[in-house]
Amino acid sequence: MIIGIPLFFLELAVGQRIRQGSIGVWNYISPKLGGIGYASCFVSFFVGLYYNVIIGWSVFYFSQSFRYPLPWHQCPLVRNATHTLVETECEKSSATAYYWYRKALDVSGSISESGGLNWKMTFSLLVAWSVVCFAMIKGIQSSVKIVYFITLTPYVVLICFLLRTFFLKGSIYGIAHMFTPQLKKMLEPQAWREAATQVFLALGLGFGGVIAFSSYNKEDNNCQFDAMLVPLINFFTSILATLVVFAVLGFKANVVNERCIKENTKMIDIFLKMGNISQTIIPSHINFSAITAEGYHEVYDIIKSAKGEEFPALNLQSCYVEDELNKEVQGVGLSFIAFTEAMTHFPLSPFWSVLYFLMQISLGLSSMFGIVEGIITPVVDRFKVRKELVTVLCCFLSFCIGLIFVQRSGSYFVSMFDDYSATLPFLIVVIFEIIAVSFVYGTDKFMEDLRDMMGFAPYRCYYYLWKYITPIVLLSLLIVTVVNMILSPPGYYAWNKDKASKDFLKFPAWAMVICISLIILTLLPIPTVFFIRCCKDNNSGNLASVAYKRGRLLKEPVNLEGDDASLIHGKIPSEMSSPSLGKNIYRKQSGSPTLDTAPNGRYGIGYLMADVADMPDMLESDL
């Protein structure tokens, strides 16, 4: 409400009006802050590098889901000289965790151990980039069928999953857990920082993709309505997806809990036979052959009370569903370990696995289209090159660089890029976006432009959000993020083969250099463009000079004070009529019914120039 919707509206509005990608838009609004557009491209590029790797992982699991039973259904067996045993690493962890770390990723012990390319994942990454390239090569706006498919598929799959999970035993535990607030968590700054990051990723803020897509809108489109509709649909989609996730996790927790009760009941039965526990303390109505969860908890509490200090030596577990649900599972652990384990207990598990990873691929591709569009559109608008060529080069270059993510140590690089090329750069880019519009261009002028563009005034609350509330909240999140990065030891979780669990390891020195470089390279365009254009302005003195002004190239005195021409009169140079050579070469654009001047008396930017008679000393070659 205070970050997502206001920033989404802002990006929709500037893209729809100026009709360019992020580079052209921010050059138009504030030439000195034109580096925001380049920074958005860098953010999109770095995020796209590792995000498509995750799609590649889903492609691999999708291809493996057609086998019955599923390959991660149970631990593999190994044969020695005399016996057949369960793989030790798998037995210590779980079948799904073992398959993920050992079979799918074949992960190394640390980020410093490359281990060479994982060819299964390399091929999957190639498939993922090929799909993105073929879909984007003609522009996503021309691939209507693809858009419908990737948009509707997740909803169909989610509804199927939701209906199925409602009939799973224990799913109600997960849904109840979902709606149980944890106030202690809500007091942690980390939770709000991650929430903000999720909003940026979910709505595509800071990528430049929203600006690029909105540049194809009709000029009078009601983008205020879109700015409310899209985040609300996004929100309810998240609720639907979360219901499915927690229902499945509740089912999984119940399966684990029943296994826990069964194993501990056997231990209690053994203790009773050995005489470690007296038979007299066990209630007569308890039947160990068909014990319920309530019955087990009753017996557990009685034994705990009776044994006192001797109870810990029995190694009995409490076996509560809530304990299993409270285990934090997120990111790839949720998708490729917890969820895959739950699906092994589904009837017709391969069918549900195929549906699930088809949904994962669809969701990933929809995000990738926005990310790639945020790179391609600004480059095409700025440098006037063929879109097909830029698309192919971008995807090919991204695949080549992405090979570092499909090494055996590649998953550690994914974590690195996710931590250092996304959260902080996103925050800084959107902060500069709102500074450029609200404080450099002017909130009052921007509100007036929106009134002229849409035909009605936007809600007044946006004025206060853009000028005061959202910038303050974003700056607070930035401070929290920086402090958290300073106080938290920079590192990653590596898979320990011997312990069959994850260990936290610190980044080596060379990895820290990469982490810092990611942040610097992403944000470097903002100060670079600012200083270059400041120097050009300072060197120009009072002489006429060529400079950016509201997104077009002008030849006029540098002193532009008092020029309050509104953004709404603007139109990008590529859409202007070509001047005819002759005395009156300054003609109005086609489709403009009447002469229209800006408040300072000049012709609006809807005209190519003022009348030639007003500037007799200007050469036609300069024009």
Side-chain angles (χ1 to χ4, degrees):
M1 295 298 293
I2 59 177
I3 291 180
I5 293 176
L7 287 175
F8 193 70
F9 186 17
L10 185 145
E11 291 196 2
L12 279 178
V14 296
Q16 179 176 314
R17 181 57 250 172
I18 302 173
R19 314 193 74 73
Q20 290 196 41
S22 56
I23 294 176
V25 160
W26 300 113
N27 274 331
Y28 194 107
I29 290 177
S30 174
K32 290 181 181 178
L33 292 179
I36 298 173
Y38 294 97
S40 293
C41 288
F42 277 109
V43 170
S44 296
F45 182 71
F46 285 134
V47 171
L49 284 178
Y50 75 85
Y51 195 88
N52 217 25
V53 175
I54 300 173
I55 300 177
W57 293 344
S58 299
V59 169
F60 173 76
Y61 267 79
F62 177 76
S63 67
Q64 298 299 305
S65 297
F66 290 92
R67 296 163 59 183
Y68 184 83
L70 291 171
W72 53 84
H73 177 71
Q74 60 185 9
C75 288
L77 301 176
V78 292
R79 185 183 297 275
N80 60 17
T82 57
H83 298 89
T84 300
L85 305 171
V86 176
E87 172 65 50
T88 306
E89 184 181 358
C90 182
E91 192 174 25
K92 288 180 179 179
S93 54
S94 67
T96 50
Y98 175 81
Y99 188 85
W100 168 243
Y101 287 110
R102 192 54 54 211
K103 296 295 183 181
L105 297 180
D106 192 18
V107 71
S108 63
S110 71
I111 197 172
S112 300
E113 301 173 27
S114 168
L117 290 177
N118 181 334
W119 292 106
K120 293 177 291 188
M121 290 304 175
T122 303
F123 180 74
S124 299
L125 180 64
L126 178 62
V127 170
W129 275 116
S130 299
V131 171
V132 172
C133 183
F134 287 129
M136 297 293 298
I137 199 165
K138 288 296 183 182
I140 193 63
Q141 70 276 13
S142 63
S143 307
V144 178
K145 293 181 180 178
I146 295 176
V147 173
Y148 275 113
F149 178 78
I150 65 172
T151 303
L152 298 179
T153 298
Y155 287 99
V156 173
V157 176
L158 282 174
I159 291 171
C160 290
F161 261 101
L162 189 63
L163 295 174
R164 179 66 188 90
T165 53
F166 278 158
F167 296 99
L168 293 174
K169 186 179 179 181
S171 61
I172 192 66
Y173 296 130
I175 295 174
H177 185 76
M178 169 186 168
F179 288 103
T180 303
Q182 298 186 25
L183 298 179
K184 189 176 180 180
K185 280 282 184 184
M186 295 180 69
L187 296 176
E188 297 177 4
Q190 175 76 1
W192 294 99
R193 185 178 70 86
E194 291 180 355
T197 304
Q198 176 61 24
V199 169
F200 296 148
L201 293 171
L203 295 178
L205 303 175
F207 284 108
V210 174
I211 294 174
F213 282 131
S214 65
S215 68
Y216 297 104
N217 283 343
K218 294 180 180 179
E219 291 187 43
D220 59 349
N221 175 61
N222 184 357
C223 56
Q224 178 177 254
F225 176 76
D226 296 341
M228 292 291 292
L229 180 65
V230 174
L232 285 176
I233 291 176
N234 192 296
F235 171 74
F236 287 112
T237 304
S238 298
I239 295 297
L240 175 62
T242 309
L243 277 169
V244 173
V245 168
F246 274 88
V248 171
L249 291 180
F251 165 70
K252 173 181 174 288
N254 188 67
V255 171
V256 172
N257 192 61
E258 287 182 346
R259 186 165 58 236
C260 174
I261 291 174
K262 185 178 179 180
E263 291 173 355
N264 281 267
T265 301
K266 288 181 179 179
M267 291 175 62
I268 293 173
D269 194 36
I270 293 172
F271 291 143
L272 288 170
K273 292 176 181 178
M274 293 174 60
N276 293 350
I277 299 175
S278 174
Q279 184 72 47
T280 57
I281 66 173
I282 306 299
S284 58
H285 65 274
I286 297 296
N287 180 9
F288 283 109
S289 60
I291 193 169
T292 62
E294 293 77 10
Y296 173 77
H297 295 144
E298 183 182 353
V299 172
Y300 177 86
D301 292 337
I302 290 172
I303 296 174
K304 184 177 181 180
S305 177
K307 299 299 288 185
E309 295 180 357
E310 299 176 6
F311 179 77
L314 299 177
N315 292 321
L316 294 177
Q317 295 178 326
S318 57
C319 298
Y320 282 99
V321 175
E322 292 76 12
D323 295 337
E324 186 66 25
L325 287 169
N326 281 327
K327 293 180 180 178
E328 291 189 5
V329 182
Q330 57 185 347
V332 294
L334 176 63
S335 294
F336 298 102
I337 298 177
F339 227 83
T340 51
E341 182 176 346
M343 282 186 292
T344 59
H345 302 288
F346 281 24
L348 300 174
S349 55
F351 170 76
W352 295 105
S353 185
V354 167
L355 274 186
Y356 175 69
F357 287 108
L358 180 63
M359 179 186 70
Q360 286 276 79
I361 293 168
S362 300
L363 288 170
L365 287 176
S366 65
S367 298
M368 276 304 300
F369 292 155
I371 291 170
V372 175
E373 191 73 30
I375 302 170
I376 293 172
T377 300
V379 172
V380 171
D381 288 346
R382 179 68 180 87
F383 300 104
K384 308 302 179 187
V385 290
R386 289 187 61 186
K387 188 167 188 175
E388 295 86 351
L389 179 62
V390 175
T391 303
V392 173
L393 287 176
C394 176
C395 293
F396 178 74
L397 178 63
S398 298
F399 170 73
C400 293
I401 298 175
L403 292 177
I404 66 173
F405 301 109
V406 289
Q407 304 173 94
R408 290 181 58 209
S409 60
S411 60
Y412 307 140
F413 284 95
V414 170
S415 299
M416 176 198 292
F417 272 65
D418 190 33
D419 290 337
Y420 291 91
S421 71
T423 306
L424 186 63
F426 275 141
L427 267 173
I428 294 176
V429 166
V430 296
I431 286 172
F432 273 102
E433 284 183 359
I434 205 162
I435 287 174
V437 171
S438 299
F439 300 101
V440 178
Y441 184 77
T443 311
D444 293 301
K445 191 186 298 184
F446 188 59
M447 294 286 284
E448 187 62 32
D449 292 340
L450 294 184
R451 180 200 297 270
D452 291 340
M453 180 176 72
M454 297 187 298
F456 60 90
Y459 296 129
R460 188 64 181 173
C461 64
Y462 285 111
Y463 176 88
Y464 300 102
L465 284 166
W466 285 330
K467 192 163 187 176
Y468 304 110
I469 301 173
T470 305
I472 291 172
V473 174
L474 287 172
L475 287 172
S476 302
L477 284 170
L478 178 62
I479 294 169
V480 169
T481 301
V482 173
V483 170
N484 183 71
M485 293 179 73
I486 293 172
L487 296 180
S488 301
Y492 61 103
Y493 284 95
W495 181 253
N496 188 313
K497 181 178 180 180
D498 297 327
K499 296 192 297 185
S501 62
K502 292 189 295 183
D503 291 335
F504 183 81
L505 302 179
K506 291 185 177 181
F507 283 122
W510 61 267
M512 283 303 305
V513 172
I514 294 178
C515 294
I516 296 171
S517 300
L518 286 172
I519 297 174
I520 293 175
L521 283 174
T522 305
L523 300 174
L524 188 61
I526 297 176
T528 301
V529 171
F530 180 82
F531 285 119
I532 288 175
R533 290 181 179 170
C534 280
C535 291
K536 284 186 177 180
D537 286 350
N538 291 336
N539 292 335
S540 62
N542 293 323
L543 300 176
S545 64
V546 178
Y548 280 106
K549 182 180 183 300
R550 305 276 194 266
R552 64 189 178 120
L553 206 60
L554 298 179
K555 179 139 185 164
E556 62 181 14
V558 174
N559 184 12
L560 300 175
E561 292 181 4
D563 183 3
D564 56 354
S566 290
L567 175 151
I568 197 63
H569 295 107
K571 194 149 180 76
I572 61 173
S574 61
E575 294 183 342
M576 294 179 179
S577 306
S578 300
S580 57
L581 296 176
K583 181 178 179 181
N584 187 8
I585 65 171
Y586 313 93
R587 60 189 177 87
K588 196 175 183 299
Q589 298 178 64
S590 59
S592 299
T594 56
L595 193 64
D596 184 15
T597 59
N600 61 355
R602 287 188 189 169
Y603 289 97
I605 306 177
Y607 297 83
L608 291 178
M609 282 290 211
D611 197 303
V612 71
D614 295 337
M615 293 178 287
D617 58 337
M618 184 172 287
L619 301 176
E620 287 187 0
S621 60
D622 291 331
L623 300 176

